[in-house]
Amino acid sequence: MTTIAVVGGGISGLVAAYRLRTRLGPDARIVVLEESGRFGGKLRTVPIADGPVDVGAEAFIARRPEVPALLAELGLTDQVENPSSARPLIWAGGRLHPLPAGTLMGIPATSGSLAGLVDVDTVARIDAEPSVPLHWDRGADVSVAALVGSRFGEQVVRRSVDPLLGGVYSGLADTASVRATVPALAAALDAGATSLTEAVGRALPPPSDAPVFGTLRGGYGVLLDALAAASGAEFHAHTAGASLRRSGCRWEVDPVGEVDGVIVAVPADRAATLLAEAVPAAATQAGRIPLASSVVVALALPKEAALPDNSGILVATGEDLAAKAFTLSARKWPHLGAREVTLARASFGRFGDAAIVDADDDQLITLARADLATVSGVTDQPVAAVVQRWHGGLPQYRAGHLEIVAELEAAIAGVDGLEVAGAMLHGVGVPACVQSATTAATRLLATVAG
């Protein structure tokens, strides 16, 4: 009987277990170890007021194929919900602005998209940028802040780029690699774009009427439950992979024992610890990937709460607010807008700001209410509230991240029966994690089943 250990019970680990089961059949033994008391990793659906709410990731990029294909396999396509036409706002300079259209992760192709959000000097600088010589090293990587700041100025970085990067990575443009976080922009520059303006114009996706995002009516918990059931795996909560070492042609995983193969699907710091003895070169690279912590406060407000008719409010860097963003869930998702309460979420925490995660629940709820009142005028007392902390929730893709990942994967590639997967590699979103897990399972099967 083939035995595989999957260390990590987040979305990557669950997808890996499911992929292994579909290929190995019912007789294989697949064991999933999870250090925490629950499975799903940074995805979690909880009951609040009259129904379920996601307090981790709440959406997926619908234009990527991985999640729709997985949902179809599991018979969950009818769970998909599309967003409303409501647009997000940005809080900058103490007031609300429309989210700039026609940008690439907040980086504009023209000054017109940022009119009103930045001052007239910055507008003039954007307009003049194509005439300023650009020095781009095709083999190097820099932070988004360094590139955009040098070409368009600090206001563009802090008021347009940071709010979007903060929502995706819980970081800032300073800790975001151009190549890892805006690869289309890097490709346009590598291909010879003579200005940042030209590069953004080349990199922007073509217009489309298709929804950019999707979500699940019952929350991500529906997908997690379906994956767990379809994997037929043994699940062990409160059980970390304590050690990993080679045992002849097999692997010794504490506390499972000998197995034929292992997929490591845990955050970068845990991967560094687990791989230290077996593949020290890979462990060293995993240890170079820093993690950011964050908090989500989900609020169920009275039905009459007058939230703006917008999908969310992003907060520029340097504003006098504790929150970094608000999701106006009742306005963003029609199925949530039909609930008996008005749902909203406040997000806190960026890389280097771990203290906010340690605030107590009452303090965080108070901050969420105060900041929501500042940006929206809504002061209603919540009917219910849930606080979810994500310690080390998101890896930071700093300049040079792709080189780190390449060296990590090269070290793993030389070792039979061992693979890695997860958000620390090629993307932090759910589609990227699904792809990472699928790739890891496919590679492992090539050696174990070969």
Side-chain angles (χ1 to χ4, degrees):
M1 180 174 62
T2 300
T3 301
I4 307 292
V6 178
V7 184
I11 182 65
S12 299
L14 293 178
V15 170
Y18 165 66
R19 296 297 187 206
L20 292 167
R21 178 63 68 197
T22 58
R23 283 283 304 276
L24 293 174
D27 295 332
R29 182 186 179 211
I30 300 169
V31 183
V32 180
L33 306 180
E34 171 54 43
E35 185 174 13
S36 73
R38 50 169 292 275
F39 294 86
K42 304 308 179 289
L43 303 182
R44 189 179 189 188
T45 306
V46 300
I48 182 170
D50 61 337
V53 170
D54 281 315
V55 290
E58 54 142 15
F60 56 87
I61 301 175
R63 295 175 182 176
R64 284 190 60 155
E66 294 89 352
V67 174
L70 180 62
L71 294 172
E73 290 178 40
L74 296 167
L76 297 176
T77 299
D78 62 352
Q79 277 281 324
V80 176
E81 297 283 351
N82 295 322
S84 71
S85 59
R87 293 279 299 162
L89 301 168
I90 288 182
W91 178 267
R95 62 189 184 92
L96 292 170
H97 307 263
L99 182 77
T103 72
L104 188 68
M105 195 61 80
I107 309 170
T110 67
S111 65
S113 62
L114 269 61
L117 180 61
V118 298
D119 60 27
V120 293
D121 289 341
T122 300
V123 168
R125 184 169 180 176
I126 297 170
D127 289 337
E129 190 268 341
S131 65
V132 178
L134 173 67
H135 305 285
W136 174 256
D137 185 345
R138 295 183 183 181
D141 193 11
V142 298
S143 73
V144 175
L147 174 63
V148 177
S150 67
R151 305 297 295 181
F152 291 155
E154 190 74 0
Q155 278 198 356
V156 175
V157 174
R158 302 310 168 200
R159 293 188 173 192
S160 186
V161 181
D162 272 355
L164 288 163
L165 283 172
V168 177
Y169 296 96
S170 288
L172 296 171
D174 307 78
T175 57
S177 151
V178 171
R179 293 192 179 278
T181 64
V182 204
L185 179 63
L189 291 166
D190 288 343
T194 59
S195 68
L196 182 56
T197 301
E198 181 186 345
V200 173
R202 289 189 190 184
L204 283 172
S208 172
D209 293 330
V212 177
F213 299 106
T215 194
L216 300 182
R217 187 182 316 116
Y220 267 122
V222 173
L223 173 58
L224 299 176
D225 290 345
L227 285 169
S231 74
E234 297 177 27
F235 291 96
H236 299 269
H238 298 294
T239 308
S243 64
L244 173 66
R245 62 179 64 88
R246 196 72 170 171
S247 178
C249 295
R250 305 183 82 202
W251 289 91
E252 179 79 23
V253 180
D254 183 15
V256 180
E258 286 196 356
V259 299
D260 298 288
V262 182
I263 293 179
V264 174
V266 294
D269 56 346
R270 286 285 301 118
T273 299
L274 190 60
L275 296 170
E277 180 180 345
V279 196
T284 297
Q285 299 308 319
R288 295 176 62 193
I289 302 172
L291 302 172
S293 298
S294 60
V295 181
V296 171
V297 179
L299 301 173
L301 302 167
K303 186 66 176 178
E304 64 271 16
L307 289 177
D309 290 325
N310 297 91
S311 59
I313 301 171
L314 306 177
V315 180
T317 302
E319 298 298 309
D320 190 21
L321 296 174
K324 66 179 181 183
F326 301 89
T327 305
L328 307 182
S329 308
R331 307 291 185 253
K332 183 176 182 178
W333 303 107
H335 70 290
L336 296 182
R339 297 265 291 264
E340 294 302 313
V341 292
T342 295
L343 296 168
R345 304 188 338 163
S347 300
F348 300 86
R350 291 187 174 98
F351 180 65
D353 180 25
I356 190 70
V357 181
D358 296 323
D360 63 40
D361 285 6
D362 289 342
Q363 183 180 0
L364 287 163
I365 293 169
T366 297
L367 287 171
R369 292 188 61 202
D371 286 355
L372 181 62
T374 297
V375 301
S376 73
V378 172
T379 59
D380 300 76
Q381 176 76 29
V383 175
V386 173
V387 175
Q388 176 65 56
R389 293 170 181 80
W390 297 114
H391 293 280
L394 286 172
Q396 299 301 289
Y397 287 9
R398 296 185 296 184
H401 178 78
L402 296 186
E403 294 179 4
I404 291 172
V405 171
E407 292 186 29
L408 189 161
E409 292 181 326
I412 294 292
V415 183
D416 286 343
L418 177 66
E419 295 293 338
V420 294
M424 69 176 175
L425 300 174
H426 299 289
V428 300
V430 175
C433 289
V434 172
Q435 179 59 49
S436 173
T438 300
T439 299
T442 302
R443 288 176 177 170
L444 185 68
L445 288 164
T447 58
V448 171

